[in-house]
Amino acid sequence: SWAGSLSSVVRPLRPHAMATPEIEKEYEIANENLRYCGNLKLAEVSIFIAVTGGLLAALFQVDHTKQVAARVILEIFGLLTSGCFFLILESTQYAWFHFAKRAASLEQTLGYKMWSSLPGAPEFRLRPSYWSLRVFYVLVILFWIVALIIGDKI
């Protein structure tokens, strides 16, 4: 695996007596989990955009004067779906932060600087992609709320 070859590319800056094969293996696993969380986030956003696009297409095809119930059901489903995907994003990001913090702490023992040298490490509070996704989800949630409030005027 890519993470397995990482230890042969990124050599410790200073050898440390506490570095063991178990710690190196845990570091590899943390990196694999970080990659998995990143790929998962991409898949989640892709699915969310497809589902939201389908709901919007259906919403704008509904005759709002004749099919009020269908419109309301689509809007409620859009709101619920957006809320669920927002929670899924938060869960994925929680796991990512956990593994990033763990990898950064293991680097102290291994003498690596890949994660621990990132701006904001080891807390990783500044994450523009994370905040932009949060804003995106909140805006979509607000759209569905407004659509429910103003009803057939959209």
Side-chain angles (χ1 to χ4, degrees):
S1 79
W2 179 84
S5 63
L6 180 65
S7 61
S8 64
V9 176
V10 181
R11 288 285 174 217
L13 298 176
R14 59 188 173 354
H16 198 282
M18 297 296 291
T20 64
E22 292 81 16
I23 291 174
E24 287 212 17
K25 183 65 176 172
E26 184 178 356
Y27 184 72
E28 287 179 26
I29 292 170
N31 279 290
E32 289 171 3
N33 287 334
L34 284 161
R35 188 171 37 262
Y36 171 75
C37 288
N39 291 338
L40 184 60
K41 184 170 59 171
L42 177 63
E44 291 166 357
V45 171
S46 300
I47 293 168
F48 174 70
I49 290 172
V51 169
T52 301
L55 287 170
L56 287 172
L59 179 66
F60 289 115
Q61 289 179 356
V62 169
D63 183 353
H64 295 250
T65 57
K66 296 179 183 174
Q67 299 173 322
V68 176
R71 176 189 55 80
V72 171
I73 289 170
L74 285 170
E75 292 167 350
I76 290 172
F77 189 69
L79 181 60
L80 292 174
T81 302
S82 300
C84 287
F85 273 93
F86 180 79
L87 293 175
I88 291 168
L89 169 72
E90 291 296 313
S91 176
T92 302
Q93 283 302 117
Y94 180 81
W96 188 95
F97 285 125
H98 168 76
F99 292 120
K101 289 175 185 178
R102 184 64 186 144
S105 71
L106 290 170
E107 286 181 346
Q108 292 176 354
T109 303
L110 296 169
Y112 297 167
K113 293 288 184 186
M114 187 168 62
W115 292 101
S116 56
S117 64
L118 282 174
E123 294 302 316
F124 300 103
R125 292 184 184 171
L126 179 64
R127 295 270 315 176
S129 66
Y130 172 54
W131 286 102
S132 63
L133 278 175
R134 271 184 151 179
V135 168
F136 173 68
Y137 279 104
V138 168
L139 289 175
V140 173
I141 289 169
L142 289 175
F143 167 81
W144 290 115
I145 291 171
V146 168
L148 275 167
I149 292 170
I150 65 171
D152 64 346
K153 295 173 181 71
I154 61 170

